[in-house]
Amino acid sequence: MHHYIKDSNTGEDKNLGDDKNLGSYIRYKELRKKAQLQAMELIAVLFIFFILLSVGIYYYYQFQFTGIKETTERLSTEKLEVYLSAIINMPEFQCSARATKEICLDTTKLLLFKSSELAKTAILPKARITVKQIYPPKTALKECTLQDFNSPDFPDNCLYFTIKDFTLPEKKSIISNPALLYYPTKNLYALGLVIMEVA
Amino acid sequence: MRCNLIKSKKGDISQPFIFIFAIVAGALILTFLLWFARGHVRIESLKSSQEAAFYFDETLTLLSAGEDVYKSIDNPLKRKYEISCGTLKVEEGKPAKLNSIVFSPKQLSANKLSIYSKSILFPFKIANIYIISDPSKRYLFVYDERTKDLVESFKKDIRVKLPEIFNFQLISKQNLISTLNELTKQQITRFVLFTQLSQQDINKILQKFPNSDILLIDYQDGSGNLKFISKTSTADSNFFSLHMLFAAIFSQDQNTYECSKAQLLNKLKLLSKFYSQKASLLNSAFTNCPYPQASGVLNSIDISTLESLKSFKISLEEVNNILAGGNCAPLY
């Protein structure tokens, strides 16, 4: 007895031959189904594997970036602290008596620095840097300028010197260091603070 | 028909197919993991290099607090530092701008670095310079009868002593000539000659020590002239203070020395202008003080020759002494 089957591609009837051939055909169909299932399984496993791998990579990079960001922030803070302690030793601000180093800041240099050529080349951090007198206390609150310097009531007529101006957002952090200020025209010393404000 | 059926029996040949597929997929995943691990190592190494560069620069900035200080930096790992005129590169990291004026060999590869920081006064403080070397670089200072005291003072005299963290030895001219053959067994970076040698002897040194060079020094009372001699070139330069001489000794060559010296002299020029502004400011507060004279000296600075630099220093010292001696605030 001959068996026929409709070909799904051509629509024609296909002769499958006798019973023996029919058995082979059924076995072939079962195995193809099994192979298809196995292939599907494999694809599913690979799909899940790659999803898990992608999630892993994503979190790994997140972790890495957080680490790098934290290191950068830590180093930036350290750098600011180093700069803060270095300012007092910079010849641009430091007092000296006949080339002998004194641990103080020369206020005439502080007044002149911002508008000098040195300010363009000096390597200072991206921060607002000011020097404020804290003792003896002052009633004046304004920045010291060249006009204030030429006034007879200097240094009582102003409070602080700006070394570097920098536009800052509202949220900022402030670090400071005490320093001795020297007023050469009056031969006076006062206690001050070097203040660094950063975004 | 039968043949076609066998050909289409994918289920039967699926096992080898799975093996091949597993090998290909495994190889791909392994390649990916190796690539990933390599990337991770690269990122970590870059991070570590940048951190090392940061700490290097930070150490220099911190050393600026001292007038005359030295320090050794010890690294648990041997690192390769590349310093060239204001930039620092550690290993394969990005070159970082140095905030300090550094005189050193171009490449340093060691666990230990020797750093000497010295304030340069001319006559006011210009900046701190940093002389850097590593113990593997060996310098031989050659003296004669005329320069013996000077060269020995680099080892003994506390006022001009070169820190012992630097690897340098003293040898007399006679000893050098007589022991030249024995010295070839040793690694010498540079022969620093505080004496005159004949051209024949210089050629002999260059021939016997192919990896070394020569620095010829004509020292005259704190300043002088230099000649950098290598197998391929000869270049002249000068120094205006003893510490600038030390700077030249440990610099890679005339180019790197001149580059860092130019940075220093440029700062001197800017500071002179700044002190001139200070003199004008003080002039309004102190009448009858020679601030205009001081301004004149400061504005006339000429950094092009050694003589003009010396004359600037003397003139400014004179006027500052007058200011300090009277009822005037000194400039520096």
Side-chain angles (χ1 to χ4, degrees), chain A:
Chain A
M1 191 185 164
H2 282 254
H3 301 276
Y4 295 90
I5 190 166
K6 205 171 212 79
D7 193 311
S8 54
N9 294 327
T10 58
E12 288 172 9
D13 282 342
K14 253 175 131 181
N15 186 0
L16 289 178
D18 55 12
D19 287 345
K20 203 176 169 188
N21 277 348
L22 181 65
S24 299
Y25 179 73
I26 290 165
R27 203 171 135 247
Y28 153 69
K29 273 290 205 185
E30 276 170 0
L31 283 172
R32 205 166 89 160
K33 213 170 183 179
K34 199 180 161 194
Q36 277 172 343
L37 268 173
Q38 277 182 342
M40 289 289 284
E41 252 173 40
L42 203 65
I43 289 165
V45 166
L46 281 175
F47 182 71
I48 291 165
F49 173 76
F50 279 112
I51 283 181
L52 288 175
L53 195 69
S54 310
V55 170
I57 290 170
Y58 173 78
Y59 279 105
Y60 166 80
Y61 276 110
Q62 282 287 321
F63 176 73
Q64 275 285 339
F65 285 132
T66 313
I68 290 170
K69 215 174 155 188
E70 275 173 12
T71 311
T72 313
E73 274 170 22
R74 179 172 53 81
L75 294 182
S76 302
T77 315
E78 267 182 45
K79 199 168 192 167
L80 283 177
E81 283 163 6
V82 169
Y83 271 120
L84 196 61
S85 57
I87 277 179
I88 207 164
N89 297 300
M90 285 169 74
E92 289 89 333
F93 311 114
Q94 199 181 41
C95 305
S96 70
R98 293 202 212 182
T100 311
K101 178 187 163 186
E102 288 192 351
I103 316 276
C104 60
L105 298 173
D106 184 336
T107 53
T108 51
K109 288 183 177 178
L110 295 177
L111 261 177
L112 292 165
F113 180 76
K114 203 170 76 171
S115 56
S116 73
E117 266 187 66
L118 272 174
K120 290 171 200 159
T121 54
I123 298 163
L124 291 169
K126 284 179 183 171
R128 184 169 185 262
I129 310 168
T130 51
V131 180
K132 187 169 90 174
Q133 184 179 317
I134 51 167
Y135 190 83
K138 282 182 177 182
T139 47
L141 296 170
K142 64 194 267 293
E143 182 188 345
C144 296
T145 60
L146 289 173
Q147 284 77 26
D148 298 317
F149 177 84
N150 290 322
S151 164
D153 54 349
F154 181 78
D156 300 323
N157 56 354
C158 59
L159 180 68
Y160 66 92
F161 302 88
T162 304
I163 292 177
K164 192 184 172 189
D165 238 335
F166 192 73
T167 318
L168 290 159
E170 269 188 38
K171 200 183 163 194
K172 59 188 179 187
S173 50
I174 302 171
I175 52 168
S176 62
N177 214 11
L180 193 64
L181 308 182
Y182 176 61
Y183 295 92
T185 51
K186 311 279 174 182
N187 199 19
L188 279 176
Y189 287 89
L191 187 65
L193 270 185
V194 182
I195 302 162
M196 228 180 238
E197 295 163 81
V198 278

Side-chain angles (χ1 to χ4, degrees), chain B residues 143-150 194-196 217-219:
Chain B
Y143 59 85
D144 58 20
E145 279 308 306
R146 191 178 59 86
T147 56
K148 190 180 177 203
D149 291 343
L150 171 77
F194 288 86
T195 180
Q196 289 293 327
I217 295 160
D218 174 20
Y219 184 89

